[in-house]
Amino acid sequence: MDKCLELLRKYWGYDGLRGIQREIIDSICSGRDTLGLMPTGGGKSITFQVPALLCEGVCIVITPLIALMKDQVGHLRERGIKAEAIYSGMTRSDVLTTLENAIFGGVKILYVSPERLSSELFIKKLSHMKVSFITVDEAHCISQWGYDFRPSYLKIVDIRRIHPTAPILALTATATPKVVDDIQNRLGFKEKNVFRMSFERKNLAYIVKKVSDKEREVLRLLGETDGSAIVYVRSRKRTKEISQMLNQAGMSSTFYNAGLEDAIRTTRQKEWQEDKVRIMVATNAFGMGIDKPDVRLVIHFDCPDSIEAYFQEAGRAGRDGNPSRAVLLFDGNDKSKLKRRISETFPDKDDIRQVYEHLAYFYQIAMGSGGGCRFEFNIDKFCMYFHHFPIPVNSALKILSRAGYIEYENDRENMAQLTMLLRREDLYRLEGLDEHENAVVIALLRNYGGLFSDYCYIDESLIAMQAGISKEDTYGILKDLSRRRILHFIPRKQIPHVKYTQSRVEADLLVFSKDIYDDRKKEYEERINSIINYAENNDICRSRQLLRYFGEERSVDCDQCDVCINHNMEAPTNFELSNAEEEIMRLLADGCQHSVSELAAIRMDSSVLNETIEYMISEEKVFVRDGMISL
């Protein structure tokens, strides 16, 4: 038995490698820069964990997933492997201890978040380490043509200069041919070297459901499916709403989004993974690094903005190899919503110039000055002053940042959040608040709607100003009210800021180069159009559409997606469609609005019913809004 299989059996209990794992391990152990393309559940971690034990020195693993870091470090330690992680939130003392251990041989695998790569302490200590190789997980994040570009990944090339002989192992589950080339170029591969594993998932049925009532369809799909499930939605508010709907229907559900506290997210994820909760309703903040093999169903309530995102999220179903489904719900509004994201992500250039101009007014920056100045930035206050909307402003500032005029950091996940724990009437009857506490509560209610139903982002400075007290006192009052269970306050994690990297110029003189704006906008439009075409294409097998997008031309029909099944079934006859239309018109003859769910009472095949409804909507014979149908 060779050393590789010996380690695999000793630490993981496996008798053999699978897919392209052996090829990748042999390549990186021979010192070659290597890119591995492996679908979700393909066993990426083995391809760097095994060679890390085979090679002398420490393996640096760069990943953006802190939860995954902690999870994998825990599992490796349980197996007796020396593993550590460095991520945001650690004290300087803990970071220093971890780095020193890596220098003196006490660490075999060191996980690092990409943001840590540029820290002075890390760079200084890295130069003293013996590095076996550098692993870049989620490698598509380095490509500006990828769907999840992260600027911090560009720092990876800098650490290669410190250890020029250490090879790079790049791993990803989602990359088009263009992104594959870009990853290798940006990571400074000495030569092109790619290993591809087919992205085909024979046990996973991809299904697109064109429906008029998504909530009803979610209930139906989950009701007919046993086992664990994920429902993906786009907004945080909807995670809570859909979860409540499922619980009211007697289904075990919880929800997850980036606005929840870390401890709450961790608890809910654990409950779901341990099958204490069957259904997880979540935004795309949930899932990367989640290793739950028995997910039987993934539903996309809202359509993602790229095939890459859809493929990765859908791929969390059926990792144990058993039959599973990934269902995308698509209605008449989804296409227009997706198209609208293009203008929100890439505002008109004149609108970007106006945001730049208003930013100068906001901070009172004179022409020719401001270079090097750094300011706290409150996007809600800015939008209120100048009558902008937050999403396009955020996009405009990011484009200005890429163009080099400013540095912009404004992750809304870091902002303070708050929700009321008491009902409105109970709050008004509450006694025992002092003058300052009462002023803070009044300022909250005046400025933010929805505090009694969900978490809202708040500006502590604005509350302090309106309450007539200092920011420090406001913070203390909010913490105390939270301790007394009157409200729940999540303090901000870091201060959003804008820094002028050069002095203010005339807005008309701003230049947005082709690669900064036009090329990226075109790429984003193509991704949006690709997911729309996927949802609307009812002629080509879903699996073949996805595989071709990722460059796999040789594929066969899956015989289990909605397209294949429809091809194998007889289409509804004109008589069936006409009969269904008559039944629907009979229901609506009273001139009243009816719930779409009432149509389920019509005794006929659901595919005939759905096709008839879609036809009647397109011909404007009926109208559907908020789950209600009418003439």
Side-chain angles (χ1 to χ4, degrees):
M1 182 187 300
D2 64 24
K3 185 67 174 176
C4 176
L5 292 180
E6 186 180 322
L7 290 171
L8 189 69
R9 177 172 289 177
K10 177 181 177 181
Y11 289 105
W12 287 273
Y14 300 149
D15 290 325
L17 296 163
R18 56 193 173 99
I20 57 173
Q21 288 177 329
R22 166 63 81 174
E23 290 93 330
I24 292 175
I25 290 171
D26 288 346
S27 177
I28 197 66
C29 285
S30 67
R32 299 179 66 200
D33 293 333
T34 305
L35 172 57
L37 303 178
M38 306 175 75
T40 302
K44 286 190 298 177
S45 58
I46 288 293
T47 64
F48 64 83
Q49 290 173 351
V50 169
L53 300 180
L54 286 168
C55 300
E56 187 179 353
V58 58
C59 168
I60 306 292
V61 182
I62 300 163
T63 175
L65 310 171
I66 293 177
L68 176 64
M69 280 189 203
K70 295 178 180 178
D71 187 55
Q72 289 202 357
V73 166
H75 288 313
L76 289 169
R77 285 177 177 173
E78 288 172 3
R79 293 184 170 97
I81 298 170
K82 298 173 182 176
E84 295 285 353
I86 296 175
Y87 47 86
S88 59
M90 293 175 65
T91 65
R92 179 180 173 84
S93 174
D94 288 342
V95 171
L96 184 60
T97 299
T98 301
L99 292 173
E100 292 284 356
N101 287 340
I103 291 171
F104 294 110
V107 178
K108 202 64 182 157
I109 302 176
L110 178 63
Y111 288 83
V112 184
S113 62
E115 291 77 17
R116 284 280 176 175
L117 300 180
S118 56
S119 77
E120 185 178 339
L121 177 62
F122 178 79
I123 292 172
K124 181 179 178 181
K125 295 298 180 182
L126 180 65
S127 62
H128 296 290
M129 289 182 203
K130 182 174 181 57
V131 176
S132 54
F133 62 96
I134 300 165
T135 299
V136 182
D137 195 19
E138 308 296 337
H140 57 271
C141 294
I142 201 172
S143 174
Q144 297 188 58
W145 306 117
Y147 78 100
D148 193 20
F149 171 63
R150 302 187 184 212
S152 56
Y153 263 62
L154 299 175
K155 301 289 185 183
I156 297 172
V157 174
D158 296 336
I159 70 168
R160 282 210 80 173
R161 298 190 184 103
I162 299 172
H163 289 282
T165 59
I168 286 262
L169 171 58
L171 299 167
T172 181
T174 48
T176 62
K178 184 176 183 180
V179 171
V180 166
D181 288 338
D182 200 32
I183 289 171
Q184 295 175 89
N185 291 333
R186 291 188 176 278
L187 288 175
F189 271 40
K190 296 179 179 65
E191 60 179 345
K192 296 291 177 69
N193 185 30
V194 184
F195 294 91
R196 292 178 172 86
M197 185 175 175
S198 174
F199 285 178
E200 185 179 14
R201 297 283 303 280
K202 293 183 178 180
N203 66 307
L204 184 55
Y206 298 100
I207 296 165
V208 176
K209 286 273 187 181
K210 295 180 173 64
V211 294
S212 51
D213 187 338
K214 291 188 176 185
E215 292 186 1
R216 182 174 69 122
E217 187 64 21
V218 166
L219 288 170
R220 189 188 70 78
L221 288 167
L222 290 168
E224 68 183 25
T225 304
D226 294 327
S228 188
I230 306 173
V231 180
Y232 279 110
V233 298
R234 185 160 174 82
S235 74
R236 296 178 182 180
K237 183 179 179 182
R238 190 167 277 172
T239 61
K240 184 177 181 179
E241 292 172 347
I242 298 296
S243 180
Q244 287 176 337
M245 177 193 74
L246 295 175
N247 287 326
Q248 289 168 2
M251 299 180 184
S252 174
S253 165
T254 189
F255 65 96
Y256 183 110
N257 60 62
L260 299 171
E261 283 189 285
D262 291 344
I264 294 174
R265 293 206 303 268
T266 300
T267 298
R268 292 182 179 180
Q269 178 179 316
K270 186 177 181 182
E271 289 174 344
W272 177 76
Q273 286 186 293
E274 294 177 351
D275 294 323
K276 294 176 182 176
V277 174
R278 183 169 82 93
I279 305 160
M280 177 65 78
V281 184
T283 60
N284 60 6
F286 177 79
M288 290 184 75
I290 301 302
D291 189 18
K292 184 169 174 58
D294 59 346
V295 178
R296 298 276 71 87
L297 175 65
V298 172
I299 300 173
H300 278 83
F301 191 95
D302 297 308
C303 190
D305 60 3
S306 70
I307 284 183
E308 290 94 332
Y310 175 70
F311 186 76
Q312 188 163 59
E313 290 161 9
R316 285 165 193 142
R319 293 177 63 169
D320 57 3
N322 292 325
S324 305
R325 291 184 296 168
V327 182
L328 171 63
L329 302 183
F330 202 77
D331 66 19
N333 296 320
D334 283 316
K335 184 173 182 178
S336 59
K337 288 177 182 176
L338 287 165
K339 292 285 189 181
R340 190 162 60 244
R341 290 183 204 172
I342 298 171
S343 60
E344 291 176 342
T345 306
F346 290 90
D348 186 81
K349 290 181 182 179
D350 286 338
D351 292 335
I352 300 173
R353 292 186 174 96
Q354 186 180 59
V355 168
Y356 179 80
E357 192 90 331
H358 287 168
L359 195 67
Y361 299 158
F362 193 57
Y363 294 122
Q364 299 183 359
I365 302 294
M367 199 67 65
S369 64
C373 293
R374 180 187 177 100
F375 305 94
E376 285 191 27
F377 182 68
N378 185 301
I379 192 168
D380 294 323
K381 186 186 295 184
F382 178 83
C383 291
M384 183 177 67
Y385 282 177
F386 298 104
H387 307 292
H388 290 299
F389 291 104
I391 292 176
V393 164
N394 188 60
S395 299
L397 293 175
K398 284 182 178 179
I399 293 168
L400 287 166
S401 184
R402 288 200 295 266
Y405 295 104
I406 62 172
E407 284 181 1
Y408 171 59
E409 295 177 12
N410 184 39
D411 188 348
R412 285 185 69 87
E413 320 303 347
N414 291 321
M415 292 178 63
Q417 298 177 73
L418 185 143
T419 188
M420 290 294 178
L421 299 179
L422 298 181
R423 294 179 302 174
R424 187 182 294 271
E425 55 270 26
D426 294 333
L427 183 64
Y428 290 150
R429 290 196 295 265
L430 185 67
E431 298 179 359
L433 295 182
D434 64 26
E435 179 184 352
H436 288 164
E437 290 171 338
N438 197 51
V440 166
V441 170
I442 290 171
L444 287 168
L445 297 179
R446 281 178 176 170
N447 287 279
Y448 303 102
L451 287 172
F452 292 94
S453 59
D454 206 349
Y455 285 90
C456 294
Y457 291 112
I458 66 164
D459 177 11
E460 297 163 62
S461 300
L462 177 64
I463 299 303
M465 181 181 70
Q466 294 193 0
I469 56 179
S470 68
K471 286 192 289 186
E472 291 75 16
D473 287 343
T474 300
Y475 177 84
I477 287 171
L478 291 173
K479 290 288 286 184
D480 187 57
L481 293 174
S482 187
R483 181 184 58 79
R484 290 155 59 186
R485 305 291 297 164
I486 294 170
L487 51 78
H488 187 218
F489 170 58
I490 304 174
R492 67 182 179 184
K493 299 172 186 175
Q494 67 182 45
I495 302 170
H497 76 270
V498 164
K499 178 183 177 182
Y500 278 79
T501 53
Q502 57 179 275
S503 297
R504 179 190 170 192
V505 299
E506 291 279 1
D508 290 343
L509 299 179
L510 295 177
V511 176
F512 306 108
S513 62
K514 192 168 179 284
D515 63 323
I516 291 291
Y517 185 90
D518 298 291
D519 289 347
R520 289 194 180 199
K521 183 177 181 180
K522 181 182 177 184
E523 189 79 18
Y524 188 64
E525 287 176 335
E526 288 175 355
R527 287 206 296 272
I528 291 287
N529 289 331
S530 292
I531 191 69
I532 291 173
N533 291 339
Y534 169 79
E536 293 185 336
N537 188 330
N538 298 316
D539 298 319
I540 301 174
C541 165
R542 300 287 176 202
S543 180
R544 293 184 75 170
Q545 289 185 57
L546 293 170
L547 293 174
R548 287 179 181 179
Y549 181 82
F550 291 110
E552 288 191 41
E553 294 298 331
R554 296 183 63 183
S555 58
V556 296
D557 287 353
C558 70
D559 290 330
Q560 59 183 347
C561 70
D562 61 293
V563 174
C564 289
I565 290 172
N566 287 337
H567 283 173
N568 295 330
M569 291 174 58
E570 290 186 10
T573 64
N574 289 335
F575 174 78
E576 289 174 318
L577 295 173
S578 177
N579 187 44
E581 184 173 343
E582 287 179 9
E583 290 292 331
I584 293 170
M585 294 300 287
R586 189 175 293 116
L587 175 68
L588 302 177
D590 59 4
C592 299
Q593 285 190 333
H594 290 263
S595 169
V596 174
S597 60
E598 291 181 50
L599 298 178
I602 299 175
R603 294 179 176 275
M604 62 180 59
D605 187 88
S606 61
S607 63
V608 175
L609 195 59
N610 285 332
E611 186 170 332
T612 304
I613 294 171
E614 292 298 327
Y615 165 74
M616 295 177 75
I617 292 172
S618 67
E619 293 295 316
E620 297 187 353
K621 293 183 176 182
V622 296
F623 299 90
V624 174
R625 184 174 182 181
D626 297 330
M628 303 298 290
I629 187 169
S630 61
L631 293 174

